[in-house]
Amino acid sequence: MEPNEKPITVTLKHIAANLAEKHDMPKKQAETLLNDLVDTIVGHLKKGERIRMVGLGILQVRKRAARMGRNPATGEPIQIKASKKVAFRASKELKEAV
């Protein structure tokens, strides 16, 4: 890929179509399976559980503490509330593949 070239975005629909073709199943069924997978992953993350996908990596929710920051426009100090974020750590296999 050239430095100024935009990467291609692959959506769940693209992945579902690819899986449907590979496994000889209707696209709708593959889309439903993928959507259910996403819903299941979100449900586990909401409960605070880690998700380990062999060959891909680990998804988990991390807590960010409240902290002081600065308004970039005015330079004025502001309080940033505590929050949660989803973190992804790539597996060794994924890192080597890419």
Side-chain angles (χ1 to χ4, degrees):
M1 186 165 52
E2 295 295 319
N4 294 336
E5 192 178 337
K6 274 188 162 183
I8 296 168
T9 301
V10 179
T11 66
L12 278 180
K13 272 192 176 228
H14 292 119
I15 295 170
N18 188 291
L19 286 172
E21 190 176 310
K22 249 185 181 175
H23 296 281
D24 195 29
M25 64 170 36
K27 283 184 186 179
K28 268 288 192 216
Q29 186 179 0
E31 281 181 38
T32 301
L33 279 171
L34 275 180
N35 288 329
D36 288 349
L37 174 66
V38 170
D39 291 343
T40 302
I41 289 171
V42 169
H44 285 290
L45 289 172
K46 279 183 177 179
K47 292 181 203 171
E49 299 170 344
R50 283 180 4 150
I51 300 186
R52 182 168 177 250
M53 294 175 274
V54 176
L56 194 59
I58 297 172
L59 278 167
Q60 69 185 62
V61 176
R62 291 199 179 134
K63 293 180 177 148
R64 295 192 64 174
R67 62 196 189 283
M68 289 302 292
R70 293 207 175 269
N71 180 332
T74 64
E76 175 187 336
I78 55 172
Q79 179 68 28
I80 301 171
K81 292 189 277 186
S83 63
K84 294 178 186 177
K85 70 170 191 158
V86 176
F88 174 75
R89 189 174 72 216
S91 70
K92 182 180 175 186
E93 297 88 358
L94 179 61
K95 288 178 187 174
E96 289 173 357
V98 175

